[in-house]
Amino acid sequence: MTKVVIVWFRDDLRLQDHPALYHGFFHAQKNGYQILPIYIYEGGMGEAARWWLHQSLAVLNDAIEGYLHTYQGDPVTIMTDLTTRFDVQKVVWNRRYTPQGHQIDDQVMAFLKNQNITYETYPGTVLIEPDRILKSDGSYYRVFTPFYKSSYLGKDFEPPLPSPFLNTKPSTKLFSTDLSSQNIDVLPSHPWHQKLHNYWIPGEQGAHEQWHTFLKHGLNGYKDGRNVPALPHVSKLSPYLRFGNISPRIVWSSLQNSDAPLADVNHFKSELGWREFSIYLLYHYPDLPNMNFNRSFDHFPWSFNEELYIAWTKGKTGVPIVDAGMRELWETGYMHNRLRMIVGSFLVKNLGIHWMHGRDFFDDCLLDADAANNNAGWQWIAGSGADAAPYFRIFNPLLQSDKFDPHGMYIKKFVPELQNASLNFLMDPYGYIGPAIYPRPIVDLSKSRAAALQAYKTLSSKEN
DNA sequence: TGTCGTTTAGA
DNA sequence: CTAAACGAC
């Protein structure tokens, strides 16, 4: 049997700055082994994310000349099968930090140990692993700013690793057999994803092109421009980071070398910090997807109205800025950060619907859907999260609209029915008449705001 | 990384 | 009269 080193790709579908691949490669080279690169689809991904995964796998497979082995199912079962068909010398992967991922990796490690197969794991998807940052009393940070200050602000990290295939033809180092690879079926069945091709080029090269475009044209002015959804001051790197098409270390190091204004550079770094903070929170509070981080919210009187919820998902709430955000999601699989806050606040505070419903919808529709970021984000906007906005911090979508999309350019871009509507109507659909085909607002903003505040009040009085 | 009603400085 | 400043929620 061929002696192989298995490189297990997970949320790190790239060749550059991939520690497991890099070290696995040189271990194999030194000992005359072949490399067996594998990916295992473990399920549990939304429709949009699966499209991105499918594309990323295809790109990675091309980059290594078709030698990627893909499987579907339980990793222990698949590893068991692989060890019967290959002389596995070692298994390497980059660590992950979700509760499920962690548990599965423990099982795989126990299995390999039992088989006397060595394995090596590496940090590769975060700048700093979550167990490395604690407060002086040994507990974990619950607030972003001190978390970020303690370990990221003004810091530098190890330089990224190159692809091991820079001077080597992949096929001379990789092992392939037609028998070993399954065809996995991750592509969503309905054709929605087809238009995503108009907006995105998933994969490692796409990531670098996107990033360099942003460095050149978007970073200068980022700090303020990032809040204006009609402007190109967002990196749109989130799906690439989610699937590891690019590493946060590559991003951070090119920021170090950027000559953009320091305020912009530092602000972008802090956004990477938020990504790390979400991963960190989920690691230390594994119930983040199932439980309010602030447990006093457990008694909050949510109400679920299906009609209102569906109107929200479809972007037919009659509030232009909210609908524009939801339509952007349908159209592109992505939503601008400012809009995520606006539509989230609207669902939770104006419609009174539990944040978990919003979370589930985002999980299914966002290309960058990720347990850590999505749950941390929704808990933040609901007010139940870490470092959360106090519950009474309720966004007024009309003020947000006026402040961040003053000319209605973003609204018009994504809501075709409002192409010819007056600016007055876009900024105040309650006070002006809009096109007949566009719905009336489904909720009274000031009444629902007052109701939300009232509900929050009963909550805090129960606490006492 | 909020909103709103009220106060206050200044044209 | 307007805009900035402030504090309560």
Side-chain angles (χ1 to χ4, degrees), chain A residues 102-165:
Chain A
H102 217 256
Q103 200 189 337
I104 288 166
D105 292 354
D106 284 348
Q107 292 165 5
V108 171
M109 287 190 284
F111 165 75
L112 293 172
K113 202 169 232 172
N114 190 261
Q115 300 287 306
N116 281 318
I117 296 170
T118 58
Y119 56 84
E120 212 77 63
T121 71
Y122 303 88
T125 57
V126 289
L127 293 167
I128 305 175
E129 294 188 284
D131 58 358
R132 303 254 318 274
I133 304 175
L134 291 171
K135 294 194 284 184
S136 48
D137 68 359
S139 65
Y140 65 94
Y141 286 96
R142 287 167 173 74
V143 181
F144 173 74
T145 306
F147 164 84
Y148 187 75
K149 268 190 183 163
S150 77
S151 309
Y152 294 88
L153 188 68
K155 298 281 198 299
D156 206 352
F157 300 94
E158 292 286 307
L161 300 166
S163 161
F165 299 122

Side-chain angles (χ1 to χ4, degrees), chain A residues 140-144 274 277 281 288 292-294 375-376 379-381 383-389:
Chain A
Y140 65 94
Y141 286 96
R142 287 167 173 74
V143 181
F144 173 74
W274 276 99
F277 187 52
L281 279 179
L288 194 69
N292 292 306
F293 187 77
N294 174 353
N375 284 292
Q379 293 229 36
W380 186 90
I381 199 68
S384 66
D387 203 2

